[in-house]
C-alpha cells in the first residue's frame, strides 16, 4: 500500500503565500502520482503541525520549534511562490525516500 503523505505549506499568516505554495505542491503530487493531503498553516499554529513535510521559507525556519522539526521533514525554499524551486525541493525529497 502506498504511503499517504501529509504536507503543510507554512507562512506568516497562512493565507496568500502558503495558499499559492499549496497549489504548486498539489500540482506536483498529482503529476507525480503521490498520494498526499496538502494543507496550509500560519506561524501561530506551527506548534500543532503534525505533517510528514513542512514546506516553508528559510526566514521562517527559526520559528519552527524543535519538537515539530524532529517529527517532520522541513523543506526550506527562498520563496514560496516560485513553483520551479518548490518542484526541485520536492524532487530532492521524494527521490530520497522509498515508498
Amino acid at each position: 500500500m502506498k504511503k499517504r503523505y501529509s504536507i503543510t505549506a507554512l507562512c506568516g499568516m497562512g493565507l496568500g503565500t502558503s495558499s499559492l505554495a499549496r497549489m504548486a505542491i498539489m500540482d506536483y503530487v498529482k503529476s507525480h502520482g503521490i498520494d498526499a493531503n496538502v494543507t496550509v498553516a500560519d506561524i501561530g499554529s506551527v506548534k500543532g503541525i503534525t505533517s510528514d513535510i513542512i514546506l516553508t521559507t528559510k526566514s521562517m525556519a527559526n520559528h519552527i520549534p524543535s519538537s515539530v522539526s524532529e517529527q517532520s521533514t522541513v523543506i526550506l525554499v527562498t520563496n514560496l511562490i516560485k513553483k520551479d524551486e518548490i518542484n526541485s525541493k520536492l524532487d530532492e525529497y521524494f527521490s530520497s525516500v522509498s515508498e
Side-chain angles (χ1 to χ4, degrees), residues 37-55:
N37 180 45
V38 184
T39 60
V40 298
D42 64 271
I43 202 63
S45 61
V46 72
K47 291 178 184 173
I49 295 175
T50 56
S51 288
D52 298 308
I53 301 166
I54 299 171
L55 186 108

Side-chain angles (χ1 to χ4, degrees), residues 51-85:
S51 288
D52 298 308
I53 301 166
I54 299 171
L55 186 108
T56 193
T57 60
K58 295 174 183 177
S59 62
M60 297 292 287
N62 61 341
H63 297 288
I64 301 172
S66 59
S67 60
V68 173
S69 62
E70 290 168 359
Q71 301 296 319
S72 304
T73 298
V74 178
I75 297 176
L76 302 176
V77 294
T78 55
N79 190 326
L80 281 175
I81 61 173
K82 289 189 174 183
K83 191 171 182 177
D84 289 344
E85 183 181 14

Side-chain angles (χ1 to χ4, degrees), residues 15-35:
L15 299 170
T17 308
S18 59
S19 294
L20 292 172
R22 179 180 182 264
M23 289 189 297
I25 296 165
M26 288 173 58
D27 287 346
Y28 178 89
V29 297
K30 182 178 180 183
S31 69
H32 287 79
I34 297 166
D35 187 14

